[in-house]
Amino acid sequence: MSCSGNLVWDVNKRSIGYNDPNAVRINYLGRREFVQRLKLEATLNVHDGCVNTISWNDTGEYILSGSDDTNLVITNPYNRKVKATIRSGHRANIFSAKFMPQTSDQQIISCSGDGIIYYTHTEKSPDINRQCQFTCHYGTAYEIMTVPNDPYTFLSCGEDGTVRWFDLRTKTSCTKEDCKDDILINCRRAATSISISPLVPYYLAVGCSDSSVRIYDRRMLGTRATGNYMGRGTTGMCVRFVPAHLSNKSCRVTSLCYSGDGQEVLVSYSSDYVYLFDPNNDQARELKGPSEERREELRQPPVKRLRLRGDWSDTGPRARPESERERDGEQSPNVSLMQRMSDMLSRWFEEASEAQGSRGTTRPQTRPTGETLGQGCGWPSTSSSSTVTAHPPSTSSSMESSVLPSCALTSSPDSDVTGTSSGSGAPSSSTGPGGSRASTAEPVLSLHYSTEGTTTSTIKLDFTDECERFLLSILCIMCACVCHRRSAAARIQELFRRRKERREMEESETQNIRRPSVKMVYKGHRNSRTMIKESCFWGNNFVMSGSDCGHIFIWNRHTGEHLMLLEADNHVVNCLQPHPYDPILASSGIDYDIKIWSPLEASPSFNRVLADEVITRNELMLEETRNTITVPASFMLRMLASLNHIRTDRLEGDRSEGSGQENEDDQ
């Protein structure tokens, strides 16, 4: 009998209670031929935005999803029908949503880019549900984690570096200002992912933006609300994992996943690869933290290029490395507007840096201003330790009256520029680059901007070469004033944080904290564009991950061999969630849908030649974009508006000078 016949027979036996529910998963999911028979079975069009989180209920009957459209949707993937669409109350993109265990799928916990957590009861009115919110995190809340078989408590992690533990028996909302009641762990770095061991739920793994994965014993931890908060970053820590080559880097963890038996942990890194480690291993105990000199060096990563948010030209199955596009002569009018804008920004910034260097000036050293607050599926995830910050204007002015942005512009691997406002007044100097007087030729700026969607935004520019030189000078000015915009209080706060972090790391050296080495590494995919990039186990023999090339990658868990490639998104695959029992997979990403995959192909099929081509391109593009700053289009618009303002001041100054000369002559 064929494999498919056996599968149907076993599914039928399970449906009448003759087989253990896990029998199908155990017997078939471990087979290579089943992985290579995966095919798209259904597409669920249930959202109007990128789908950033998907999760199955305990029985595998429904999928809960959350999106940029701020809706929570419960869908039956088998008949493609929506059971419920819930207006969540979130005001920013939903990044994580889970059913609370043992609540008949009626209670949901979700979090979003504005840091707010909502506790939603599907049988209650929206007005009541909107009152059940926790505003304790400041900055993005990345992930919600429920505890197996516990319908009352859940955990969350966020950009503020805290892991918080909430008990719904004590409160179903909290809107305290700067609340610290429920902090379980303070990681001092952005806590970007968490995972609980399925068999030993008191083991909690936390992934941070400093490249580390820390595993804590929750029995040794407490909160201020429970009266036993310790406040020390090493309390309860029993494992600290960092790949050796990342020990001196800040690389953001985008996902964590325990194996089904709880014996191994899978961790995915932004701008790097997926790693497997055994928490009980202690082979890397000699691992030391970077020296202070090296730390300072790492705060000054090199600048490669700028990218406009909304420029998805380097994502999807048809994306190509820049070197390949240049070789094939693909720099044509067909290149997307966003890509041309990104290339222009990169050229300006790089030429500005070169021009500054040729004048013998040194770019001032900068210190990070805090973790990047990424927002939305299209905004990058990253091990960012530097941002662009800007002070809000004193009045709500239009774009045309904007002035030079008061910003600190630095770069880190795929870091995100988050400043959105204009700052102090622009200089009225009429000198051009290098201190020479600017030409009297007027830079021409014609500007139109439409904000309807990210990939369809319209920006029309018409400018002369003189304008471009002017832009270069402004970028030089922006780079030169980097370190002067941070307040003394912020610098002191950063200093104390680093001292405390260093003291805790020195203390951990003397404690019995295991330091596992890498057990296996999985390569070929690309993870640099979004802050959600899930990797997971599938059965006992396979590991999978989403990718910026729009594919799902599947590897042999034990050897790292690449076994399957599935084209699953027009841009980026972010989420992967295996069915709890059956060999069925749900995926989502930048596309506005959820895709369901199952072994429907008549025979195993794997195009290894295509896979090798994709892997090669991904490796090249990963290197090309490893140190990329992503800026919003509004950043460039403010810069151009600022130039307009400077140009006006310069022309008025020229007229005043001319008028003054005439008056002197008259006298």
Side-chain angles (χ1 to χ4, degrees), residues 104 148 157 212 484 608 613 617:
S104 301
C157 67
S212 71
H484 301 295
R608 190 169 294 277
E613 290 178 2
R617 285 179 178 140

Side-chain angles (χ1 to χ4, degrees), residues 293 296-297 299-300 362-368 409-410 479-484 486 491:
E293 293 77 12
E296 190 64 36
E297 178 186 339
R299 292 171 196 149
Q300 319 303 326
T362 303
R363 196 153 53 101
Q365 290 189 346
T366 61
R367 292 179 181 272
L409 179 58
T410 59
C479 294
C481 66
V482 170
C483 62
H484 301 295
R486 293 198 63 210
R491 289 196 296 270

Side-chain angles (χ1 to χ4, degrees), residues 452-493:
E452 296 179 1
T454 52
T455 56
T456 58
S457 297
T458 303
I459 304 173
K460 296 179 180 178
L461 296 172
D462 183 18
F463 55 86
T464 64
D465 291 340
E466 178 64 24
C467 176
E468 186 167 328
R469 288 195 292 272
F470 224 64
L471 287 169
L472 290 175
S473 68
I474 295 304
L475 283 169
C476 289
I477 293 171
M478 292 166 61
C479 294
C481 66
V482 170
C483 62
H484 301 295
R485 297 300 178 184
R486 293 198 63 210
S487 67
R491 289 196 296 270
I492 292 172
Q493 186 179 24

Side-chain angles (χ1 to χ4, degrees), residues 132-189:
C132 299
Q133 60 175 289
F134 299 86
T135 60
C136 309
H137 281 288
Y138 55 92
T140 301
Y142 287 117
E143 190 162 15
I144 293 289
M145 187 59 57
T146 58
V147 181
N149 303 314
D150 183 349
Y152 305 110
T153 69
F154 66 93
L155 298 105
S156 65
C157 67
E159 195 73 36
D160 57 9
T162 65
V163 177
R164 299 176 186 248
W165 179 79
F166 299 93
D167 191 333
L168 296 172
R169 291 168 295 193
T170 60
K171 59 182 177 183
T172 57
S173 67
C174 180
T175 55
K176 276 186 185 179
E177 187 78 18
D178 193 25
C179 180
K180 294 181 172 62
D181 292 350
D182 303 296
I183 295 177
L184 189 71
I185 305 166
N186 190 341
C187 299
R188 322 265 178 229
R189 298 290 185 128

